[in-house]
Amino acid sequence: MRPFKKILATLLLAAGATAAQAWPDQPITLVVPYTPGTGIDLIARQLSARLPAALGQPVVVDNVAGASGNIGSEKVARAKPDGYTLLVQVNTLVMNKSLYKSLAYDPLNDFTPVSLTSWGTLLLVTNPNVQKTTSVAQVVTAAKASPGKFTYATPGVGTPHHLSMAMLLQSTGTEMLHVPYKGTAGAVTDLLGGRIDYMFLPVHVALQHIQAGKLKAIATGSDKRLAQLPDVPTLAEAGIQGGNVDMWYGVLAPKGTPSAVVARLNKEIGAVLKQPEVATAFESQGMAPASSAPGEFKELMTKDAQRWAGVVQRGGITAE
């Protein structure tokens, strides 16, 4: 019986290898679970413009927005694991694992990570015409003196902007009133108009307003200071433990996608990310290209899910 099992296993491996060698023989779809024009959409369109030269097949972008990325993510989770339907996502994917109690898919177990594509930085900012605080210490002191008086905006409940501020408040024992918006635009408008006190914003959104003196950068959520803002300290430098709130972006495939297909995708995506024009395009959105092995990406996702689950639980945060 054992020889038969060995022969069967060998045949299955050979069949898988043959299928992987034939891949791809039809167009590939990159599902973006958000609207066009977002940072994730930019990543997908850079990949779709450059991967066909390496793969020999068209690569199309399909925007399937809704429910904080859950509709598009579920679509990929339920897709055939043949390497022809892929997901381009941000760390919102693993945040949603603890924010939504009734997800129809498992953000960690229903996908095969392919590769990171980039990192994006969030900045803690304020309107200097409204708040004169210039450091995290001053923000904390003011907030402790008047619990719940100050406000912070986010593009919505459970977004990286929201959980980053929740983490900061929890780690400093402070309280502020959360004002969620339906997207970033309205929140920024009210921040600039003096109706909101603080907010975490991506670099590419905040930088123009900082340079114009309309916003003040208090701290950056990266491990290192930003080249564009060398005088702005990191949250860690300000004494915030676990202060790195950078957003990761990456490509995932449905669970069960052949390892040879994943390896090929990882290789070709990595090559695209090394192209100077891609780095320039990413930098325009405040992102830095970054690739990884599939296993490294999986470890990052698992660790990140646990981290943000703690923030969600301590804050009693729910998106439902």
Side-chain angles (χ1 to χ4, degrees), residues 70-244:
N70 286 324
I71 295 176
S73 296
E74 182 184 352
K75 178 178 180 178
V76 178
R78 300 289 171 253
K80 186 176 180 180
D82 54 9
Y84 292 105
T85 305
L86 307 172
L87 177 68
V88 185
Q89 252 287 24
V90 65
N91 60 345
T92 302
L93 176 70
V94 297
M95 292 176 171
N96 285 348
K97 183 174 175 62
S98 51
L99 287 165
Y100 292 84
K101 306 304 179 185
S102 56
L103 280 181
Y105 69 97
D106 189 320
L108 287 180
N109 297 318
D110 285 347
F111 298 100
T112 297
V114 175
S115 176
L116 279 176
T117 59
S118 50
W119 287 94
T121 298
L122 289 171
L123 294 169
L124 176 62
V125 299
T126 189
N127 184 328
N129 296 317
V130 177
Q131 295 298 329
K132 303 304 179 183
T133 48
T134 59
S135 68
V136 172
Q138 291 177 3
V139 173
V140 171
T141 298
K144 285 186 174 181
S146 303
K149 172 186 175 183
F150 299 102
T151 58
Y152 72 95
T154 71
V157 174
T159 55
H161 317 61
H162 178 198
L163 296 193
S164 294
M165 183 64 84
M167 181 278 297
L168 175 60
L169 296 177
Q170 290 172 14
S171 64
T172 58
T174 51
E175 297 179 20
M176 290 187 191
L177 176 64
H178 177 209
V179 184
Y181 288 73
K182 293 183 178 180
T184 304
V188 172
T189 297
D190 281 357
L191 181 65
L192 293 171
R195 293 176 287 276
I196 293 293
D197 296 306
Y198 299 100
M199 187 174 184
F200 269 103
L201 276 177
V203 175
H204 72 280
V205 176
L207 191 59
Q208 60 178 321
H209 302 300
I210 294 170
Q211 292 171 337
K214 296 179 180 179
L215 291 180
K216 167 69 178 178
I218 296 173
T220 175
S222 296
D223 281 333
K224 298 179 180 180
R225 296 191 183 196
L226 298 177
Q228 304 99 312
L229 301 166
D231 296 328
V232 178
T234 67
L235 287 173
E237 289 175 330
I240 305 301
Q241 292 186 350
N244 185 323

Side-chain angles (χ1 to χ4, degrees), residues 233-259:
T234 67
L235 287 173
E237 289 175 330
I240 305 301
Q241 292 186 350
N244 185 323
V245 293
D246 275 356
M247 301 179 293
W248 54 254
Y249 300 80
V251 177
L252 304 101
K255 178 182 179 181
T257 300
S259 58

